[in-house]
Amino acid sequence: QVHLVEAGGGLVQAGGSLRLSCAASGRTFSTNTMGWFRQAPGKEREFVAAISWSGHRTYYSDSVKGRFTISRDNAKNTMYLQANSLKPEDTAVYFCAAADTGRAMGFMALRRLEYTYWGQGTQVTVSS
């Protein structure tokens, strides 16, 4: 019922920046928290960042804190991830996700199982 479409991935040199976007459509009124996860080959999908519906509460993994910024524009039904000072270890497929209202609240936003809807993923490759 909620469709998520990502954009903005690509190849960038270490120290560079990318701005990822996630456009939501469908029954977006039934969702609240949105987040970003990433998955490198052979590794489990891991939490990157999350944001509440209002945008007033955000969460970041320790590995990206201070470098990445999550934001959203509800009028456009779009979430963003500004990724700066990229490192080779940031290389992964980045997924956006949305949780049903009442899920992924507070620190539960860090748990991938709290999210119902997922985008197709966009590849981010950081070269050294």
Side-chain angles (χ1 to χ4, degrees):
Q1 299 91 333
V2 177
H3 304 280
L4 305 175
V5 180
E6 301 160 341
L11 175 64
V12 65
Q13 290 184 310
S17 299
L18 287 173
R19 184 172 174 82
L20 308 183
S21 64
C22 175
S25 61
R27 300 178 63 184
T28 58
F29 54 84
S30 67
T31 66
N32 196 334
T33 301
M34 297 185 70
W36 290 94
F37 292 76
R38 66 188 183 186
Q39 187 168 23
K43 299 186 67 176
E44 191 171 325
R45 191 171 301 184
E46 67 176 3
F47 171 79
V48 176
I51 187 168
S52 64
W53 180 86
S54 68
H56 292 158
R57 197 176 299 274
T58 58
Y59 308 87
Y60 297 94
S61 68
D62 289 340
S63 62
V64 307
K65 190 173 297 183
R67 299 188 297 120
F68 291 12
T69 302
I70 190 171
S71 62
R72 66 191 298 169
D73 185 340
N74 290 340
K76 298 180 179 179
N77 289 319
T78 303
M79 177 180 65
Y80 305 93
L81 185 69
Q82 180 67 45
N84 297 329
S85 301
L86 284 162
K87 306 174 181 179
E89 49 263 45
D90 294 318
T91 296
V93 177
Y94 283 69
F95 298 88
C96 67
D100 287 325
T101 299
R103 303 292 299 276
M105 299 178 67
F107 287 105
M108 298 294 285
L110 280 62
R111 301 181 74 251
R112 65 177 180 85
L113 293 178
E114 291 291 296
Y115 295 85
T116 301
Y117 311 101
W118 294 85
Q120 78 286 353
T122 184
Q123 177 70 49
V124 171
T125 302
V126 184
S127 65
S128 59

